[in-house]
Amino acid sequence: PMKSCSFKKTLNRLGALVLALCLALPVTAFAAAPGGISTESALRVAIENANDGDTILVDDITFESQGVPVSIGKNLTLRSAKEHGTAIFSRAAFVLDGSEKDLDVSFDNITFYAEADALSIRDNIWSEDCESFMPAMRFQGNVDVSLNDCVFRNYMSLEGANLYAD
């Protein structure tokens, strides 16, 4: 005798298979708006809520929290959501913290832009409060960072212009 396959049973199995695949693969975080995450606060939340190995798609972001860098302590990729051109991070400052565990972070197709005017800097400014002058990235502990098609413009600090490793 031939057994018939129930459509409902097949649909349930297919749904379980799709769910299992979704849970097993790294997730790419998308912003609600097309184009990727576009605010500093949304990026901070996405990084906090991301799982190890996730990719976060970003758009242009102006960072307003000068002196309070965005901390990354898990394996992540931040990638421009733009099909053509880079995402521009204005006044961005990141701390990549591999002091607890080895860290692997990638930045893909992002331009880091600070508004510091190098021509206006004089020796006496370095004795004042230099909190607004921060490197784009500071590395602590064991960090493996990949900067793919990234550009750095106009960053300066007492610790280094673009990148600083503790």
Side-chain angles (χ1 to χ4, degrees):
M2 183 182 258
K3 292 185 177 180
S4 66
C5 183
S6 163
F7 178 73
K8 186 176 179 183
K9 185 186 278 186
T10 303
L11 191 59
N12 285 343
R13 287 182 181 164
L14 182 61
L17 177 63
V18 170
L19 178 61
L21 285 173
C22 288
L23 293 174
L25 298 174
V27 176
T28 299
F30 292 94
I37 291 172
S38 60
T39 66
E40 177 184 358
S41 59
L43 179 61
R44 287 179 187 270
V45 169
I47 289 170
E48 183 179 320
N49 293 333
N51 293 316
D52 232 20
D54 282 357
T55 296
I56 299 174
L57 299 178
V58 296
D59 204 336
D60 297 344
I61 300 175
T62 298
F63 290 75
E64 303 294 337
S65 299
Q66 288 184 326
V68 182
V70 175
S71 182
I72 298 178
K74 54 183 91 169
N75 301 317
L76 291 176
T77 297
L78 274 64
R79 178 176 296 140
S80 173
K82 293 181 178 183
E83 194 170 319
H84 303 288
T86 66
I88 298 172
F89 283 4
S90 298
R91 299 188 308 264
F94 288 88
V95 171
L96 307 181
D97 189 0
S99 56
E100 298 280 324
K101 66 175 187 162
D102 290 352
L103 194 62
D104 187 5
V105 178
S106 294
F107 291 85
D108 297 340
N109 205 17
I110 297 173
T111 295
F112 294 83
Y113 174 75
E115 296 167 349
D117 179 7
L119 297 176
S120 69
I121 302 301
R122 304 285 182 253
D123 288 341
N124 63 347
I125 195 169
W126 297 113
S127 62
E128 297 174 15
D129 181 20
C130 298
E131 190 174 275
S132 61
F133 297 126
M134 297 183 71
M137 289 181 203
R138 179 185 199 111
F139 311 111
Q140 299 173 323
N142 296 320
V143 178
D144 183 7
V145 65
S146 298
L147 303 168
N148 304 302
D149 296 319
C150 292
V151 176
F152 295 86
R153 297 189 195 278
N154 297 339
Y155 275 86
M156 63 181 75
S157 78
L158 292 173
E159 300 166 331
N162 298 315
L163 308 172
Y164 178 77
D166 282 340

